[in-house]
């Protein structure tokens, strides 16, 4: 009986190692852009401000590159004290909206994660700049 128990414990241990490796691989894939099924979702060229002190309901349609920020020289003015003068850029690549942070002080967040490299947006994504929250539609 002790040999059986030792072999059973070995099998359980090997199973746990495989589960651990699988979880690490999933986390890496998620960090690098997700699964292929996630990339098949349709991107939208419109963002709607869903939370803002001054401009809720504002529709931002992306047909060409747009710069969003607090500066009057930005293409879309964000009246948010936590936004940088030129906070982020929205552009189109192969029909999909791509967001790039322009080195903002407080960062740009998509679905709660800080954007550090250009990111393709998808329908339903939440983009946060300071207190302003926009949803991709």
């Amino acid at each position: 009986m002790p040999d059986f128990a030792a072999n059973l414990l070995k099998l359980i241990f090997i199973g746990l190692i495989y589960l651990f490796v699988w979880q690490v691989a999933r986390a890496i894939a998620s960090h690098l852009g997700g699964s292929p099924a996630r990339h098949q979702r349709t991107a939208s060229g419109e963002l709607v401000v869903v939370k803002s002190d001054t401009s809720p309901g504002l529709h931002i349609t992306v047909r060409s590159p747009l710069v969003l920020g607090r500066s009057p020289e930005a293409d879309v003015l964000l009246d948010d004290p936590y936004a940088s003068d030129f906070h982020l850029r929205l552009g189109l690549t192969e029909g999909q909206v791509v967001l790039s942070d322009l080195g903002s002080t407080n960062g740009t967040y998509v679905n709660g994660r800080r954007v550090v490299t250009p990111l393709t947006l998808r329908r339903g994504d939440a983009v946060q700049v300071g207190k302003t929250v926009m949803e991709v539609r």
Side-chain angles (χ1 to χ4, degrees):
M1 187 71 171
D3 288 337
F4 175 74
N7 286 333
L8 183 63
L9 287 175
K10 287 178 188 176
L11 287 173
I12 291 172
F13 181 70
I14 290 171
L16 289 174
I17 289 174
Y18 278 113
L19 285 174
F20 174 75
V21 170
W22 179 67
Q23 287 290 352
V24 169
R26 282 186 53 201
I28 291 171
S30 171
H31 181 71
L32 293 177
S35 65
R38 182 176 172 193
H39 288 291
Q40 292 174 356
R41 290 191 292 166
T42 305
S44 175
E46 182 177 59
L47 280 83
V48 177
V49 177
V50 293
K51 182 181 173 191
S52 170
D53 292 340
T54 59
S55 55
L58 172 69
H59 287 254
I60 303 166
T61 303
V62 181
R63 293 190 182 105
S64 60
L66 295 173
V67 174
L68 286 71
R70 208 174 53 202
S71 171
E73 296 175 10
D75 298 318
V76 177
L77 182 65
L78 295 176
D79 189 16
D80 189 315
Y82 298 101
S84 295
D85 287 343
F86 300 101
H87 198 95
L88 64 98
R89 175 181 294 116
L90 297 173
L92 289 175
T93 302
E94 298 177 6
Q96 296 186 317
V97 179
V98 177
L99 180 146
S100 301
D101 185 85
L102 298 175
S104 62
T105 304
N106 294 316
T108 304
Y109 294 83
V110 174
N111 299 326
R113 290 187 167 173
R114 190 169 185 154
V115 175
V116 293
T117 60
L119 178 69
T120 301
L121 297 178
R122 287 163 181 69
R123 179 164 297 169
D125 283 348
V127 178
Q128 183 171 356
V129 174
K131 293 181 178 180
T132 304
V133 179
M134 298 166 270
E135 182 180 315
V136 179
R137 297 207 175 148

Short mmCIF file of all heavy atoms in Angstrom, two decimals, residues 5-41:
data_model
loop_
_atom_site.label_atom_id
_atom_site.label_comp_id
_atom_site.label_asym_id
_atom_site.label_seq_id
_atom_site.Cartn_x
_atom_site.Cartn_y
_atom_site.Cartn_z
N ALA A 5 0.50 4.61 -2.59
CA ALA A 5 0.31 5.99 -2.13
C ALA A 5 1.43 6.89 -2.66
O ALA A 5 1.16 8.03 -3.08
CB ALA A 5 0.28 6.02 -0.60
N ALA A 6 2.65 6.41 -2.70
CA ALA A 6 3.76 7.21 -3.21
C ALA A 6 3.58 7.49 -4.69
O ALA A 6 3.79 8.63 -5.16
CB ALA A 6 5.09 6.49 -2.96
N ASN A 7 3.15 6.49 -5.46
CA ASN A 7 2.92 6.68 -6.89
C ASN A 7 1.76 7.64 -7.13
O ASN A 7 1.79 8.47 -8.05
CB ASN A 7 2.67 5.35 -7.59
CG ASN A 7 3.96 4.55 -7.73
OD1 ASN A 7 5.04 5.12 -7.78
ND2 ASN A 7 3.83 3.23 -7.79
N LEU A 8 0.71 7.54 -6.31
CA LEU A 8 -0.42 8.44 -6.43
C LEU A 8 0.00 9.88 -6.15
O LEU A 8 -0.38 10.80 -6.87
CB LEU A 8 -1.54 8.00 -5.48
CG LEU A 8 -2.82 8.82 -5.55
CD1 LEU A 8 -3.46 8.70 -6.93
CD2 LEU A 8 -3.80 8.36 -4.47
N LEU A 9 0.80 10.08 -5.12
CA LEU A 9 1.29 11.42 -4.81
C LEU A 9 2.17 11.97 -5.94
O LEU A 9 2.11 13.16 -6.26
CB LEU A 9 2.07 11.41 -3.49
CG LEU A 9 1.22 11.28 -2.23
CD1 LEU A 9 2.10 11.15 -0.99
CD2 LEU A 9 0.30 12.48 -2.09
N LYS A 10 2.96 11.11 -6.56
CA LYS A 10 3.79 11.55 -7.70
C LYS A 10 2.90 12.01 -8.84
O LYS A 10 3.16 13.04 -9.47
CB LYS A 10 4.70 10.41 -8.16
CG LYS A 10 5.84 10.11 -7.24
CD LYS A 10 6.66 8.93 -7.77
CE LYS A 10 7.70 8.47 -6.76
NZ LYS A 10 8.43 7.28 -7.23
N LEU A 11 1.85 11.25 -9.16
CA LEU A 11 0.94 11.62 -10.24
C LEU A 11 0.23 12.95 -9.93
O LEU A 11 0.07 13.80 -10.81
CB LEU A 11 -0.08 10.51 -10.48
CG LEU A 11 0.45 9.26 -11.17
CD1 LEU A 11 -0.61 8.18 -11.20
CD2 LEU A 11 0.92 9.60 -12.57
N ILE A 12 -0.19 13.11 -8.70
CA ILE A 12 -0.84 14.37 -8.30
C ILE A 12 0.14 15.53 -8.44
O ILE A 12 -0.21 16.60 -8.96
CB ILE A 12 -1.40 14.25 -6.87
CG1 ILE A 12 -2.58 13.28 -6.84
CG2 ILE A 12 -1.82 15.61 -6.34
CD1 ILE A 12 -3.09 12.94 -5.46
N PHE A 13 1.36 15.33 -8.02
CA PHE A 13 2.39 16.37 -8.12
C PHE A 13 2.64 16.74 -9.58
O PHE A 13 2.70 17.92 -9.94
CB PHE A 13 3.68 15.90 -7.45
CG PHE A 13 4.78 16.92 -7.49
CD1 PHE A 13 4.70 18.07 -6.72
CD2 PHE A 13 5.90 16.74 -8.30
CE1 PHE A 13 5.71 19.02 -6.76
CE2 PHE A 13 6.91 17.67 -8.34
CZ PHE A 13 6.81 18.82 -7.56
N ILE A 14 2.75 15.75 -10.47
CA ILE A 14 2.96 16.02 -11.90
C ILE A 14 1.76 16.77 -12.48
O ILE A 14 1.91 17.71 -13.25
CB ILE A 14 3.23 14.70 -12.65
CG1 ILE A 14 4.61 14.16 -12.26
CG2 ILE A 14 3.15 14.90 -14.17
CD1 ILE A 14 4.90 12.76 -12.76
N GLY A 15 0.56 16.38 -12.07
CA GLY A 15 -0.64 17.08 -12.52
C GLY A 15 -0.64 18.53 -12.09
O GLY A 15 -1.01 19.43 -12.86
N LEU A 16 -0.23 18.79 -10.87
CA LEU A 16 -0.17 20.18 -10.37
C LEU A 16 0.87 21.00 -11.14
O LEU A 16 0.66 22.18 -11.42
CB LEU A 16 0.13 20.19 -8.87
CG LEU A 16 -1.02 19.72 -7.98
CD1 LEU A 16 -0.56 19.62 -6.52
CD2 LEU A 16 -2.20 20.66 -8.10
N ILE A 17 1.99 20.37 -11.48
CA ILE A 17 3.01 21.07 -12.27
C ILE A 17 2.44 21.45 -13.63
O ILE A 17 2.61 22.58 -14.10
CB ILE A 17 4.28 20.22 -12.41
CG1 ILE A 17 5.01 20.15 -11.07
CG2 ILE A 17 5.21 20.79 -13.49
CD1 ILE A 17 6.20 19.22 -11.07
N TYR A 18 1.73 20.54 -14.29
CA TYR A 18 1.11 20.84 -15.59
C TYR A 18 0.08 21.96 -15.47
O TYR A 18 0.01 22.85 -16.32
CB TYR A 18 0.47 19.58 -16.20
CG TYR A 18 1.46 18.71 -16.89
CD1 TYR A 18 1.77 17.45 -16.40
CD2 TYR A 18 2.12 19.12 -18.04
CE1 TYR A 18 2.69 16.62 -17.02
CE2 TYR A 18 3.05 18.32 -18.68
CZ TYR A 18 3.32 17.07 -18.17
OH TYR A 18 4.24 16.27 -18.80
N LEU A 19 -0.73 21.95 -14.42
CA LEU A 19 -1.70 23.03 -14.20
C LEU A 19 -1.00 24.37 -14.02
O LEU A 19 -1.44 25.39 -14.54
CB LEU A 19 -2.59 22.71 -13.00
CG LEU A 19 -3.67 21.67 -13.22
CD1 LEU A 19 -4.37 21.35 -11.90
CD2 LEU A 19 -4.67 22.16 -14.25
N PHE A 20 0.08 24.37 -13.26
CA PHE A 20 0.84 25.60 -13.04
C PHE A 20 1.39 26.14 -14.36
O PHE A 20 1.26 27.32 -14.66
CB PHE A 20 1.97 25.35 -12.04
CG PHE A 20 2.88 26.52 -11.86
CD1 PHE A 20 2.48 27.62 -11.12
CD2 PHE A 20 4.14 26.53 -12.44
CE1 PHE A 20 3.31 28.72 -10.97
CE2 PHE A 20 4.99 27.62 -12.29
CZ PHE A 20 4.56 28.71 -11.55
N VAL A 21 2.01 25.27 -15.16
CA VAL A 21 2.58 25.69 -16.44
C VAL A 21 1.47 26.21 -17.36
O VAL A 21 1.63 27.22 -18.05
CB VAL A 21 3.36 24.53 -17.10
CG1 VAL A 21 3.75 24.85 -18.52
CG2 VAL A 21 4.60 24.20 -16.26
N TRP A 22 0.32 25.56 -17.36
CA TRP A 22 -0.81 25.99 -18.18
C TRP A 22 -1.29 27.38 -17.77
O TRP A 22 -1.54 28.24 -18.61
CB TRP A 22 -1.93 24.96 -18.07
CG TRP A 22 -3.15 25.30 -18.87
CD1 TRP A 22 -3.27 25.36 -20.23
CD2 TRP A 22 -4.43 25.63 -18.36
NE1 TRP A 22 -4.54 25.70 -20.57
CE2 TRP A 22 -5.28 25.87 -19.44
CE3 TRP A 22 -4.94 25.73 -17.06
CZ2 TRP A 22 -6.61 26.22 -19.28
CZ3 TRP A 22 -6.27 26.06 -16.91
CH2 TRP A 22 -7.09 26.31 -18.01
N GLN A 23 -1.39 27.63 -16.47
CA GLN A 23 -1.81 28.94 -15.97
C GLN A 23 -0.79 30.02 -16.34
O GLN A 23 -1.16 31.13 -16.71
CB GLN A 23 -2.01 28.92 -14.45
CG GLN A 23 -3.25 28.20 -14.01
CD GLN A 23 -4.52 28.94 -14.36
OE1 GLN A 23 -4.52 30.07 -14.82
NE2 GLN A 23 -5.65 28.28 -14.17
N VAL A 24 0.48 29.73 -16.24
CA VAL A 24 1.52 30.69 -16.62
C VAL A 24 1.42 30.99 -18.11
O VAL A 24 1.50 32.16 -18.52
CB VAL A 24 2.93 30.15 -16.24
CG1 VAL A 24 4.02 31.00 -16.86
CG2 VAL A 24 3.08 30.10 -14.73
N ALA A 25 1.22 29.99 -18.93
CA ALA A 25 1.10 30.20 -20.38
C ALA A 25 -0.13 31.06 -20.69
O ALA A 25 -0.06 31.96 -21.54
CB ALA A 25 1.01 28.86 -21.10
N ARG A 26 -1.25 30.82 -20.01
CA ARG A 26 -2.45 31.65 -20.21
C ARG A 26 -2.19 33.09 -19.81
O ARG A 26 -2.63 34.02 -20.50
CB ARG A 26 -3.62 31.10 -19.41
CG ARG A 26 -4.26 29.89 -20.05
CD ARG A 26 -5.50 29.45 -19.31
NE ARG A 26 -6.41 30.57 -19.16
CZ ARG A 26 -7.37 30.62 -18.25
NH1 ARG A 26 -7.55 29.62 -17.42
NH2 ARG A 26 -8.15 31.66 -18.16
N ALA A 27 -1.50 33.31 -18.71
CA ALA A 27 -1.22 34.67 -18.25
C ALA A 27 -0.32 35.40 -19.25
O ALA A 27 -0.54 36.57 -19.55
CB ALA A 27 -0.56 34.64 -16.87
N ILE A 28 0.67 34.71 -19.78
CA ILE A 28 1.56 35.32 -20.77
C ILE A 28 0.79 35.64 -22.04
O ILE A 28 0.92 36.74 -22.60
CB ILE A 28 2.77 34.40 -21.05
CG1 ILE A 28 3.69 34.35 -19.82
CG2 ILE A 28 3.54 34.88 -22.28
CD1 ILE A 28 4.78 33.31 -19.91
N ALA A 29 -0.04 34.72 -22.50
CA ALA A 29 -0.83 34.97 -23.71
C ALA A 29 -1.78 36.14 -23.51
O ALA A 29 -1.94 36.98 -24.39
CB ALA A 29 -1.61 33.71 -24.08
N SER A 30 -2.38 36.25 -22.34
CA SER A 30 -3.28 37.36 -22.05
C SER A 30 -2.52 38.68 -22.05
O SER A 30 -2.99 39.69 -22.57
CB SER A 30 -3.94 37.14 -20.69
OG SER A 30 -4.64 38.27 -20.29
N HIS A 31 -1.35 38.67 -21.48
CA HIS A 31 -0.53 39.88 -21.41
C HIS A 31 -0.06 40.33 -22.79
O HIS A 31 0.03 41.51 -23.07
CB HIS A 31 0.66 39.65 -20.50
CG HIS A 31 1.54 40.85 -20.34
ND1 HIS A 31 1.13 41.96 -19.62
CD2 HIS A 31 2.77 41.13 -20.81
CE1 HIS A 31 2.09 42.86 -19.68
NE2 HIS A 31 3.09 42.39 -20.39
N LEU A 32 0.19 39.37 -23.67
CA LEU A 32 0.70 39.68 -25.01
C LEU A 32 -0.40 39.97 -26.02
O LEU A 32 -0.10 40.30 -27.15
CB LEU A 32 1.57 38.53 -25.52
CG LEU A 32 2.87 38.32 -24.76
CD1 LEU A 32 3.61 37.11 -25.32
CD2 LEU A 32 3.75 39.55 -24.82
N GLY A 33 -1.65 39.87 -25.64
CA GLY A 33 -2.69 40.23 -26.59
C GLY A 33 -3.86 39.28 -26.64
O GLY A 33 -4.77 39.50 -27.40
N GLY A 34 -3.87 38.26 -25.89
CA GLY A 34 -5.02 37.39 -25.80
C GLY A 34 -5.03 36.28 -26.82
O GLY A 34 -4.11 36.08 -27.59
N SER A 35 -6.13 35.58 -26.83
CA SER A 35 -6.30 34.41 -27.70
C SER A 35 -6.74 34.84 -29.08
O SER A 35 -7.27 35.93 -29.25
CB SER A 35 -7.34 33.48 -27.09
OG SER A 35 -8.59 34.13 -27.08
N PRO A 36 -6.57 33.98 -30.10
CA PRO A 36 -7.03 34.33 -31.44
C PRO A 36 -8.52 34.65 -31.48
O PRO A 36 -8.94 35.49 -32.24
CB PRO A 36 -6.71 33.08 -32.25
CG PRO A 36 -5.62 32.40 -31.51
CD PRO A 36 -5.86 32.72 -30.06
N ALA A 37 -9.33 34.00 -30.68
CA ALA A 37 -10.77 34.28 -30.68
C ALA A 37 -11.03 35.71 -30.26
O ALA A 37 -11.94 36.36 -30.74
CB ALA A 37 -11.49 33.31 -29.74
N ARG A 38 -10.23 36.23 -29.36
CA ARG A 38 -10.41 37.61 -28.92
C ARG A 38 -10.12 38.58 -30.06
O ARG A 38 -10.74 39.62 -30.18
CB ARG A 38 -9.50 37.89 -27.73
CG ARG A 38 -9.67 39.28 -27.18
CD ARG A 38 -8.82 39.49 -25.95
NE ARG A 38 -8.89 40.90 -25.60
CZ ARG A 38 -8.11 41.47 -24.75
NH1 ARG A 38 -7.18 40.78 -24.15
NH2 ARG A 38 -8.22 42.75 -24.48
N HIS A 39 -9.17 38.26 -30.93
CA HIS A 39 -8.82 39.14 -32.03
C HIS A 39 -9.88 39.14 -33.12
O HIS A 39 -9.86 40.00 -33.98
CB HIS A 39 -7.47 38.73 -32.62
CG HIS A 39 -6.33 39.08 -31.72
ND1 HIS A 39 -5.94 40.37 -31.48
CD2 HIS A 39 -5.50 38.29 -30.99
CE1 HIS A 39 -4.92 40.37 -30.65
NE2 HIS A 39 -4.64 39.13 -30.32
N GLN A 40 -10.80 38.21 -33.12
CA GLN A 40 -11.82 38.15 -34.15
C GLN A 40 -12.99 39.06 -33.85
O GLN A 40 -13.84 39.25 -34.71
CB GLN A 40 -12.30 36.70 -34.31
CG GLN A 40 -11.23 35.81 -34.88
CD GLN A 40 -11.66 34.36 -34.89
OE1 GLN A 40 -12.72 34.00 -34.41
NE2 GLN A 40 -10.81 33.52 -35.43
N ARG A 41 -13.05 39.65 -32.65
CA ARG A 41 -14.14 40.56 -32.36
C ARG A 41 -14.04 41.78 -33.25
O ARG A 41 -12.96 42.22 -33.61
CB ARG A 41 -14.08 40.99 -30.89
CG ARG A 41 -14.42 39.88 -29.94
CD ARG A 41 -14.60 40.38 -28.56
NE ARG A 41 -13.33 40.84 -28.02
CZ ARG A 41 -13.21 41.57 -26.94
NH1 ARG A 41 -14.26 41.96 -26.28
NH2 ARG A 41 -12.02 41.94 -26.51
#
